[in-house]
Amino acid sequence: MPPQSAAPLDGVTVVTLEQAVSAPMCTRALADFGARVIKVENPDGGDFARYYDDVVNGQAAHFVWVNRGKESVTLDLKSTAGRDILHRLLDRADVLVSNLAPGATARLGLSPADMARRHPNVIAVEIDGYGGGGPLSHKRAYDLLVQAESGVCSVTGNPGAPAKPGPPVADVTSGLYSALSIVALLVGRKGADQDSPAPSITVSLFDTMAEMMGYHLTYARHSGVDQQPLGMSSPAVAPYGAYPTADGHTVVLGTTNDREWQRLARELLGRDDLADDPRFAGNAGRVAHRATLDEAIRDWCARHDLAKIQDAADAAGIGNARYNTPSDVLAHPQLAERQRWRSIDTPTGPIPSLLPPPVIAGYDPPMGAVPGLGEHTDAVLGELGFTDTDIAALRGQGAIGQAGH
């Protein structure tokens, strides 16, 4: 076995004022790479995502998903003492991440100008809804709202029945873009002028979703056509879709070029007539006659079991997949045989958690515990030089929460 590699972000300390998904996803990604993440929470309940539901042994599924490997410190940032402690944390930090309501960081004295003056070496990252300087900049923004505003819902679902994609893609992608930006600046600063303030970063959910809409926006600009959603298909290529099988499953089959179409028609369907039809020679023609091709594929799939269809598709070099539910994926052999599940600790006991997607040779992600509210407050304040007496006094003032659990 090769020697264990050091964590790529070992020695990097991240302080985060976060809630819900976008910033927590950013900082969880940094924690997965070995950064120390100190999550500052309101003593009165903390991150509201802790209480979305209680299905994970009394904890919320969203929260345990994006908060492993962090330390929770409770501070009342409305109090002078709480803000002073935050600044003492930032004195030792490399990165500040936040996704508070519009204007909240400025009110806390954490605007880019404030950070450049008081904490010039800290990379400050703010995830917001719509970015600064626009007519929507003042608005609160949640995942669904931004997906609707950016057009994502209009290209998801079915004609006349738009839908929100199931995962919170605006939150997740914005969090990952933020993490990427942080890593880029950490690398860049190694050879930069250390006397210059660290650059600030803003990432907006709206800008991220506009980027995710790149294909659809480009198509609409140059064709004048707003493509309609096609459920489990694609407006860009055909045939490509989901088809019921004889044994009650659903198979997804797709082609992305002319050679694949020829193999699908001749070797899978046994339909040389379709392969030779000039209407289907190119992708544009197949898209225009999608319904005809879907009918032929649907009829063929309805006569065969899923396993036979997938074996035949694999033999012909045709992309295929089984339509699965979340419960199906929990037992998916691709995850089980590659040992993608790990056990992580939480305040109410261990739970399974997926390894982060990057597989780095020789590096085993830490997969740290999900923190209880304020669990690390006393320990972190002790590192800052606060005595037990000081901590008791702060707790009496309400500047910090009750002893963590």
Side-chain angles (χ1 to χ4, degrees):
M1 179 179 294
Q4 177 70 13
S5 300
L9 295 183
D10 184 40
V12 173
T13 297
V14 179
V15 173
T16 180
L17 309 175
E18 62 182 24
Q19 52 199 1
V21 174
S22 60
M25 175 58 76
C26 168
T27 57
R28 197 208 78 179
L30 299 176
D32 286 338
F33 288 123
R36 182 186 187 187
V37 177
I38 300 174
K39 182 183 180 82
V40 175
E41 300 189 70
N42 189 325
D44 185 17
D47 183 342
F48 55 72
R50 285 181 177 274
Y51 312 104
Y52 279 167
D53 55 59
D54 60 0
V55 300
V56 188
N57 303 327
Q59 303 168 96
H62 272 96
F63 188 83
V64 300
W65 168 41
V66 291
N67 283 286
R68 66 169 181 246
K70 304 178 185 181
E71 300 170 47
S72 174
V73 172
T74 49
L75 298 178
D76 179 5
L77 297 181
K78 294 181 180 179
S79 71
T80 299
R83 291 192 298 274
D84 287 346
I85 295 169
L86 174 62
H87 284 291
R88 289 176 67 169
L89 285 172
L90 291 172
D91 286 339
R92 298 181 170 208
D94 301 287
V95 180
L96 169 67
V97 177
S98 64
N99 68 329
L100 305 180
T105 50
R107 290 192 294 272
L108 291 171
L110 301 174
S111 69
D114 294 326
M115 292 296 294
R117 181 178 63 257
R118 189 161 183 178
H119 305 288
N121 294 319
V122 176
I123 298 169
V125 183
E126 183 163 5
I127 302 173
D128 63 18
Y130 294 100
L136 303 184
S137 298
H138 66 287
K139 294 175 70 69
R140 286 182 177 268
Y142 306 130
D143 186 86
L144 170 59
L145 305 181
V146 172
Q147 289 197 40
E149 192 76 42
S150 63
V152 172
C153 294
S154 75
V155 298
T156 309
N158 288 287
K164 171 193 173 298
V169 292
D171 284 335
V172 170
T173 52
S174 296
L176 295 178
Y177 264 112
S178 300
L180 174 62
S181 301
I182 290 165
V183 171
L185 288 187
L186 287 171
V187 171
R189 281 181 63 77
K190 287 183 177 180
D193 179 5
Q194 297 301 310
D195 293 331
S196 300
S200 62
I201 303 171
T202 57
V203 177
S204 83
L205 274 67
F206 183 78
D207 290 346
T208 303
M209 283 297 93
E211 170 65 18
M212 294 297 101
M213 286 287 290
Y215 160 73
H216 295 88
L217 297 179
T218 302
Y219 191 97
R221 179 183 294 278
H222 295 281
S223 71
V225 174
D226 288 329
Q227 290 182 319
Q228 295 300 298
L230 293 174
M232 288 184 63
S233 186
S234 167
V237 293
Y240 197 1
Y243 309 95
T245 68
D247 54 347
H249 296 289
T250 298
V251 67
V252 180
L253 297 172
T255 61
T256 59
N257 59 61
D258 297 342
R259 293 184 302 278
E260 288 181 356
W261 156 244
Q262 288 292 318
R263 294 199 302 272
L264 186 148
R266 297 183 191 278
E267 299 176 31
L268 207 64
L269 305 183
R271 294 288 303 271
D272 288 352
D273 58 316
L274 296 178
D276 293 336
D277 193 319
R279 293 178 300 169
F280 311 136
N283 183 64
R286 294 194 295 274
V287 168
H289 298 92
R290 181 191 307 275
T292 300
L293 299 182
D294 280 343
E295 181 179 5
I297 298 170
R298 189 178 298 109
D299 288 347
W300 182 82
C301 289
R303 299 195 303 270
H304 298 91
D305 289 350
L306 174 67
K308 181 175 180 179
I309 294 170
Q310 292 199 276
D311 287 345
D314 287 341
I318 300 301
N320 64 92
R322 167 181 163 166
Y323 165 78
N324 286 320
T325 66
S327 295
D328 295 327
V329 177
L330 288 176
H332 204 296
Q334 190 69 11
L335 297 174
E337 292 185 20
R338 296 167 57 240
Q339 299 180 337
R340 297 295 298 165
W341 292 101
R342 293 289 189 276
S343 178
I344 63 171
D345 291 328
T346 80
T348 56
I351 63 169
S353 183
L354 281 170
L355 284 163
V359 179
I360 302 174
Y363 175 63
D364 194 16
M367 302 295 285
V370 176
L373 179 60
E375 179 179 348
H376 304 90
T377 303
D378 292 18
V380 170
L381 265 58
E383 294 178 26
L384 298 178
F386 290 90
T387 67
D388 290 346
T389 301
D390 297 331
I391 293 172
L394 288 167
R395 188 158 282 129
Q397 299 167 21
I400 63 177
Q402 295 302 309
H405 52 81

